[in-house]
Amino acid sequence: MRWQCVTCAGIYDDVGPDGVRYFHACPPLRRVLLLAPGGQTVVADHAVAVDLVDDGTGKKTIVRTFTPPLPPGHTFVGETTIARPNRRDENVAGVDDQGRPVIKAPGGGVVVVP
Amino acid sequence: MVDTPPLSAPNPTAALVPALMGGSAVYLSGEDALKVTVFNALTSVVVRLTGRFLPVDSARVQVFARDLTPTTDRAASTLILPLGEGWLLDAGLIVSTGAPQVGQTFGVVSVQRGVGGAALELATLVQGYLTQHMRRAWPAAPLASSLDGPGALRSITGTDPAAGVEIAETVPLRARWRVIALQATYVAGIAVANRSPRLIYDDGATAFCTSPTESPIVASETRLCVSSDASAVVVALDGIGAWWMPGQHRLSASARIRTVTTNLQAADNWSAPQLLVEEWIEV
């Protein structure tokens, strides 16, 4: 049966053509790592547009444009990922007191895709 | 020093130990039972335990057969079979329903004393992968690890992500993967930007292998991104681009194979990834 995850809108079949179950897990969200003026590293949500700009001498420089702009005094360190809020993970972590399987994270649930 | 009496003394009138070719029978005291544990990944599988038992004070060999329908999430499913006092002559496991590959159904037969939470496993008799034609039997077969030998070859269609969302596939619990090949199609929207998709392996939190593409994807371009165990970087031709992928990495449960696309636009769309993996059950 085909399902759509309510949290990430991904679509998948719960059993593959080879007869093995598929356990959907929502993809993580991308975030940027910033160095704050106080020296601490913070995780922030900024879209990053990356361009290679020729400086006219044949040398190319990576130029990043952030949306929204970075706070004053903050510098870009790198990128990271965070778990998606209300993520779904269908891997079976154990059973309840009645022996029924319990998945790791139900998230927002799923809907059947006709 | 005072000798400690045995927990349960053997029957003094027990028959002589039966002679077996290639081994010796196992004495079961009546408090002992056979425990079958199966770890399974394939739907519609039934595992059958069979064997022969010679009760004490009897010359008639009894045959036993029991079926176990395991779960399909690679978790342990168990069956307990008390046999009474006597001699276990042989025991074996085979798949009686279903057609798993090697790597999909793993069985263990052990001798257990007691039941429930107080049970004590005393000896392992059978341990290894099962198929509908390949039996694991005591006393013939050696004990095998679930990570020994070849795994099951699987072609997996992953989750088709929504527009503007990256691919992320997670190795399922109690599985171990070797990713042999992967491909997915990137359909770029009309927004002008140079997209650069990277293929990343991580351990569930921290990346340990990153592979870039050789040339950016431009607006309105459709590119099939492919990856296999190859070290050459291929220039994009005919809408195909390549990632280098180390084919010898073994990925444990919760490790992830995912994309990170520089300049990913909201209207860009990855297709569902298609992966070819070799899979073992991690017991």
Side-chain angles (χ1 to χ4, degrees), chain A residues 3-17:
Chain A
W3 303 89
Q4 182 170 35
C5 175
V6 172
T7 299
C8 72
I11 295 174
Y12 57 94
D13 293 332
D14 57 355
V15 178

Side-chain angles (χ1 to χ4, degrees), chain A residues 30 50, chain B residues 165-167 182 184-188 193-200 209-218 221-227 236 239-244 258-265 268-271:
Chain A
R30 291 169 62 181
V50 180
Chain B
V165 178
E166 301 276 13
I167 287 170
L182 178 152
T185 300
Y186 190 100
V187 180
N194 288 329
R195 293 89 161 154
S196 180
R198 287 167 275 164
L199 181 65
I200 290 178
C209 185
T210 301
S211 176
T213 48
E214 75 294 340
S215 62
I217 301 172
V218 299
E221 179 184 351
T222 296
R223 184 177 297 182
L224 176 65
C225 298
V226 304
S227 180
I240 299 177
W243 286 306
W244 170 76
R258 57 189 179 90
T259 58
V260 173
T261 305
T262 302
N263 295 333
L264 174 73
Q265 304 298 305
D268 293 353
N269 206 345
W270 278 109
S271 70

